[in-house]
Amino acid sequence: MTIHIGAKPGDIAETVLMPGDPYRAKWAAENFLDAPRCVNEVRGMLGYTGTWKGNPVTIHGSGMGMPSLSIYANELIRDYGAQTLIRIGSCGAMQDHVALRDLVLAMSASSVSTPSSTIFRELTYAPTADFSLLEAAATAARAKSLSPHVGGIYSSDTFYDERRDLDEQMIRHGILAVEMEAAELYTLAARYGRRALAILTVSDHLPTGDRLSSEDREKSFSEMVEIAFEAAFAK
Ligand code: HPA
């Protein structure tokens, strides 16, 4: 047990999928894992462990924003030995050519700050995905006839941000989409020599204000889970 995770030693698999919403973790575990069992429910942050095609997998919520993800990713890595951590979640598109429902694979994640950023002092650290996961996820997506966007995203802890000029600079610099967790996940994975990737679906479109229906969100969530498994266990 750690401060925020009630799992026993050995209850967490080396491969961990991390949706933001703990109920999505439950749903994915019940629909995609063989023999899923609940390994954490401290503070309602649900985590499940089972197998996919015989491979042990944990699906654990991260909560919203980098301060929340940082707590769970730190404990999963440092206390439970997680080796491969894949965020599956939604994002807001920032470019006209990135449409609702599109898949975004985050090659890098810019941010104003992460919970880790103070250790870098005046240096601007560039959090990046693990290339083997990124490449395998792109291949898995294309095998499903999807055309993923692969590039830079922006991780923000402020959903209702009043500073529209920050969005403008991100858009101007080709950032594909905004979400709230990847930059810290990539930073922690790099620090501890682990693999990380964020697989995202566009749930809303900042330039047009369009949003996905909840039915479409569920369908795209299933695709992300499948791509995450394929990427994690690619030979
Ligand atoms: N901002 C931050 N995170 C998000 C958004 C957004 O507009 N849409 C989906 N996740």
Side-chain angles (χ1 to χ4, degrees):
M1 270 181 69
T2 59
I3 298 174
H4 304 94
I5 300 177
K8 293 191 289 297
D11 269 352
I12 302 287
E14 287 193 354
T15 298
V16 184
L17 271 52
M18 298 189 80
D21 178 352
Y23 286 105
R24 289 265 155 155
K26 180 175 195 291
W27 185 88
E30 287 171 352
N31 286 280
F32 288 92
L33 295 184
D34 291 324
R37 60 195 174 90
C38 185
V39 292
N40 186 36
E41 45 188 353
V42 176
R43 291 178 183 240
M45 190 52 75
L46 303 172
Y48 290 80
T49 297
T51 58
W52 177 79
K53 296 192 177 172
N55 300 292
V57 178
T58 295
I59 309 182
H60 196 290
S62 69
M64 287 179 279
M66 291 184 279
S68 177
L69 173 129
S70 185
I71 289 170
Y72 296 107
N74 260 293
E75 293 179 16
L76 289 164
I77 290 173
R78 297 183 345 186
D79 298 296
Y80 292 100
Q83 299 294 325
T84 296
L85 299 99
I86 303 180
R87 162 163 160 68
I88 43 178
S90 60
C91 63
M94 300 189 101
Q95 303 291 333
D96 289 335
H97 72 279
V98 180
L100 278 188
R101 271 180 227 92
D102 280 3
L103 191 70
V104 174
L105 302 177
M107 189 156 72
S108 65
S110 300
S111 68
V112 173
S113 73
T114 69
S116 296
S117 57
T118 53
I119 67 174
F120 298 110
R121 299 180 181 274
E122 68 271 38
L123 194 141
T124 305
Y125 175 74
T128 50
D130 175 83
F131 184 68
S132 64
L133 284 177
L134 182 65
E135 193 177 34
T139 302
R142 291 190 189 110
K144 292 178 168 300
S145 303
L146 299 170
S147 302
H149 301 275
V150 182
I153 63 152
Y154 166 42
S155 301
S156 168
D157 277 328
T158 313
F159 187 87
Y160 295 108
D161 203 330
E162 299 289 326
R163 300 164 299 178
R164 306 315 300 177
D165 56 315
L166 288 181
D167 285 352
E168 280 163 27
Q169 290 305 335
M170 291 292 95
I171 291 167
R172 195 173 158 221
H173 288 82
I175 289 298
L176 298 170
V178 57
E179 54 84 77
M180 303 186 70
E181 291 83 17
E184 175 70 357
L185 179 65
Y186 288 5
T187 303
L188 290 171
R191 189 178 310 156
Y192 293 105
R194 313 298 161 94
R195 306 195 301 164
L197 176 66
I199 302 175
L200 308 163
T201 310
V202 177
S203 62
D204 49 272
H205 200 272
L206 270 59
T208 64
D210 291 344
R211 285 178 181 281
L212 273 194
S213 67
S214 50
E215 227 171 49
D216 281 342
R217 276 174 186 252
E218 193 157 303
K219 181 164 181 287
S220 62
F221 186 71
S222 297
E223 280 169 358
M224 289 188 286
V225 174
E226 288 164 0
I227 292 166
F229 289 148
E230 299 284 352
F233 300 109
K235 295 279 184 313

